[in-house]
Amino acid sequence: MKFRLSAALTATAAACALATSAMAEPVIAKLAAAAPGAAKPVAGGAVFECLGAVCAARSPSGETSTLRGCKELARQMGTVNSFGPASRPLSADQLAACNESAKR
């Protein structure tokens, strides 16, 4: 009986984790300058699709919305004005740190 309950709980937890990662919120970056043409940089473990001054990662990893992800994108695309999912964008201080990478 304990084994069945444990197996059922494990299966439920795995299903919830899979559903959560499959429904991850996109990470959106707004650039200071429009990119020439379309670009697909990889940053924070995800592929961003950039068109004009907007880049979006539709299938972000756990690292995509971090300061590290922003820095990696800034190195490739230039200054970033906003970054992150709509529910958790980076703060002004984090964006300043992110954009230091674009200058290097």
Side-chain angles (χ1 to χ4, degrees):
M1 178 73 171
K2 285 184 180 181
F3 177 73
R4 286 185 189 166
L5 180 59
S6 177
L9 288 174
T10 301
T12 302
C16 288
L18 182 60
T20 301
S21 66
M23 298 182 341
E25 191 176 1
V27 174
I28 307 295
K30 293 183 182 171
L31 307 174
K40 290 192 176 186
V42 175
V47 175
F48 280 81
E49 295 179 27
C50 302
L51 189 58
V54 178
C55 297
R58 296 177 198 214
S59 300
S61 72
E63 291 289 314
T64 308
S65 62
T66 64
L67 179 57
R68 179 177 158 218
C70 183
K71 287 179 176 184
E72 290 175 2
L73 186 67
R75 280 188 207 112
Q76 297 173 65
M77 301 303 295
T79 303
V80 176
N81 287 340
S82 66
F83 185 87
S87 63
R88 294 179 332 236
L90 294 185
S91 69
D93 289 341
Q94 290 171 313
L95 283 172
C98 169
N99 286 318
E100 282 299 312
S101 295
K103 296 176 184 176
R104 294 181 192 163

